[in-house]
Amino acid sequence: MQFDPRTVAREIPGIFDEVFPQLTPGIVAHLNAESKVIPVQPLRQDLLLQSALQRAMLFELGYTVGEQLLQYPAEIDWPACFADTVRRQRAYFDAKLPEQLEPVDQHLAETVGRNLAATMTSLSASAGHPIVFRPHIPGLEWISSGHGDFAIGATLVEVKCTAKRFSSADYRQVAIYWLLSFAAAVEGRGEEWRDFILLNPRSGEMVMMTFDSFLSIISSGRTKVDILQLFLSLVGSRLTR
């Protein structure tokens, strides 16, 4: 059986306890404290309370709207966005599907989507690189290949739309994406991610780091090669269970 990288990061955390032993709640709090907040249109709490749509579905819809606005900024194709959101949600969650979108859901999703599109456009212009949609994440052993949210040059951008701060699982996710990219680069079948951005278009919170700085904090002084070798040994041992 194979698992996609996102599932490995969120549901098999034990691997990361050994590879990145210092990715602790205290370190996560420290990393979040270094975040910056960019101007975004806030979500109205009264509208959130009116929405009966599952929160995961609502904010996945906002992400999909933002993705579409980046490609076709003239108008939002709501049926297409809703169909794409349902497809994505079914891949990870037991999604409860409403028969139709309510106006309040559209308003909230559009707010998030426009925040996301505006921020990504600004980041792309600042970096001087185009936005790459759903960048490829290579697989390794029993970890299947997958897709990230966005990339700008060698910078991975992962979107998290939540009322909370970024979590340990969010940092594990970008860590494994780097690990898989580094393994692919060593084998000559891909490029290593150099930087990452965690972006919350709901709150405007954003963490921007080089992977070198991130790894120096969470890996107990191991080199990149040491990290990869340890990870490979753990992946291999899991195959024999």
Side-chain angles (χ1 to χ4, degrees):
M1 178 182 296
Q2 288 204 317
F3 296 87
D4 67 273
R6 174 174 165 171
T7 300
V8 174
R10 295 185 173 275
E11 298 183 14
I12 316 178
I15 291 176
F16 295 89
D17 293 341
E18 296 191 51
V19 180
F20 300 119
Q22 291 179 293
L23 187 52
T24 62
I27 290 298
V28 169
H30 167 74
L31 294 172
N32 285 339
E34 298 297 311
S35 67
K36 61 188 295 187
V37 178
I38 56 177
V40 294
Q41 182 67 32
L43 295 184
R44 287 173 48 186
Q45 189 63 30
D46 60 322
L47 295 184
L48 276 172
L49 293 174
Q50 291 177 40
S51 173
L53 200 60
Q54 280 183 324
R55 288 294 182 262
M57 177 75 76
L58 176 62
F59 293 122
E60 185 73 37
L61 179 62
Y63 169 87
T64 307
V65 168
E67 191 177 49
Q68 187 184 101
L69 286 171
L70 285 166
Q71 299 175 83
Y72 313 106
E75 62 179 288
I76 301 170
D77 184 341
W78 285 105
C81 285
F82 186 53
D84 196 30
T85 298
V86 168
R87 178 185 59 79
R88 293 183 188 186
Q89 281 290 292
R90 279 176 169 161
Y92 298 108
F93 304 104
D94 181 19
K96 295 179 181 177
L97 310 180
E99 294 183 1
Q100 63 182 15
L101 286 175
E102 298 296 333
V104 65
D105 301 321
Q106 290 182 320
H107 178 86
L108 292 166
E110 182 173 350
T111 299
V112 171
R114 292 195 180 279
N115 287 345
L116 175 58
T119 303
M120 289 301 302
T121 299
S122 176
L123 290 171
S124 174
S126 297
H129 293 287
I131 298 168
V132 176
F133 296 83
R134 294 176 59 76
H136 177 70
I137 305 297
L140 182 70
E141 299 287 356
W142 48 268
I143 303 172
S144 66
S145 61
H147 294 279
D149 289 334
F150 300 102
I152 300 174
T155 301
L156 178 70
V157 183
E158 287 298 302
V159 178
K160 308 298 175 187
C161 194
T162 174
K164 300 178 181 179
R165 309 293 299 274
F166 299 119
S167 67
S168 296
D170 298 331
Y171 287 102
R172 287 198 302 268
Q173 187 174 341
V174 294
I176 193 169
Y177 284 1
W178 169 80
L179 252 173
L180 294 171
S181 77
F182 183 61
V186 168
E187 296 174 0
R189 54 185 179 89
E191 298 292 329
E192 177 189 357
W193 296 114
R194 300 295 180 183
D195 314 274
F196 74 87
I197 295 173
L198 286 174
L199 171 64
N200 187 335
R202 175 178 175 179
S203 66
E205 185 176 13
M206 182 167 61
V207 171
M208 308 175 67
M209 290 190 74
T210 66
F211 272 108
D212 283 349
S213 296
F214 182 50
L215 296 172
S216 70
I217 293 172
I218 66 173
S219 64
S220 294
R222 296 189 181 98
T223 66
K224 291 180 179 180
V225 173
D226 290 339
I227 292 169
L228 178 59
Q229 289 178 338
L230 176 57
F231 182 69
L232 288 171
S233 71
L234 295 171
V235 169
S237 66
R238 186 178 175 84
L239 285 171
T240 63
R241 293 176 187 173

